[in-house]
Amino acid sequence: QTILEFIHFGCTSEDINNMSHALMLRDGKKVLRGAMDEMTKIVAAMAKKYAKVPKICCLDMPWRWKLRCLIAPLFLRRYARRFIAAYVPGRVCERYCKWIGFRRVEKGLFAIDTTRFVCSSNGSGTKDYFLYLGRYSKEKRLADLVAAYQTYRARGGEKELRLYGKGDALPKGIEQAEGVKVNGFVAPEEVPTLYAGAAAFVLASSFDPWPLVLLEAMSAGCRVIASEKCTNYPELGATWGRFKVG
């Protein structure tokens, strides 16, 4: 019995797992390395073949007063000169590309099918809730969003806050907050109806280069309240509520 227990321990310990990992790498590296070498040759051949073909760089990195952006030209200017143009979503990204050293910058990289949402704006909707639709991630600042909503409730507000999305950064206890309804993934065909029924779409991101959800909401006739870190604000104009983060 003692021997059986030892064998069980030995066969489930990290030591034997480490050994199995090493054996897999030893036997598999010949196959993997051969495939990787072949892929490297293919990519290298394509690089030589298309080296003189004019190229356009597509990116959505916005300008920010950060060290990373300030020193970017030192590392990226030569790379930027390999392209005939940069294609970006809007003005904030255009500023960053010009700072890096792109000779030409064109705007209009991202867009939506407005017809999907304009149709939903024809109906009045219930307008009895605030809407968030997106990832449950740290940069979306859902905890701050709920805190602001609780202030609204404390002042007598009665509208619900409905959250739709997926992710692993949903703040603890948020599902128990008064008036907050946490939902999972929503099918694309249901989204226009959600916009049309909302009193406002809310987005409190600390970093959001080009959130298309703002364009969708506005196309559906939904009011928008979003942070200044949503860098498509120059294109949205003065038809929405913008607030500072912090």
Side-chain angles (χ1 to χ4, degrees), residues 64-131:
R64 293 180 293 168
W65 286 102
K66 300 287 186 179
L67 179 61
R68 176 181 176 184
C69 290
L70 292 172
I71 66 174
L74 299 176
F75 302 94
L76 298 177
R77 187 173 297 275
R78 289 183 62 187
Y79 179 73
R81 293 306 173 92
R82 298 180 183 179
F83 299 90
I84 61 170
Y87 195 27
V88 300
R91 277 185 274 174
V92 180
C93 300
E94 178 187 31
R95 180 182 179 186
Y96 178 65
C97 287
K98 288 183 176 180
W99 171 253
I100 291 175
F102 284 96
R103 294 185 176 92
R104 177 182 174 187
V105 183
E106 297 290 342
K107 300 186 294 291
L109 178 59
F110 297 144
I112 63 169
D113 180 7
T114 57
T115 58
R116 290 185 57 223
F117 306 98
V118 170
C119 293
S120 64
S121 67
N122 295 330
S124 59
T126 58
K127 308 297 183 184
D128 59 354
Y129 60 89
F130 298 109
L131 175 66

Side-chain angles (χ1 to χ4, degrees), residues 124-132 149 152 158-162 193-202 217-218 220-225 239 241:
S124 59
T126 58
K127 308 297 183 184
D128 59 354
Y129 60 89
F130 298 109
L131 175 66
Y132 168 83
Y149 172 73
Y152 159 81
E158 298 180 352
K159 299 183 188 297
E160 292 182 347
L161 172 60
R162 300 183 185 180
T193 303
L194 289 176
Y195 286 137
F201 181 85
V202 290
M218 294 177 71
C222 180
R223 295 179 179 178
V224 167
I225 304 173
T239 58

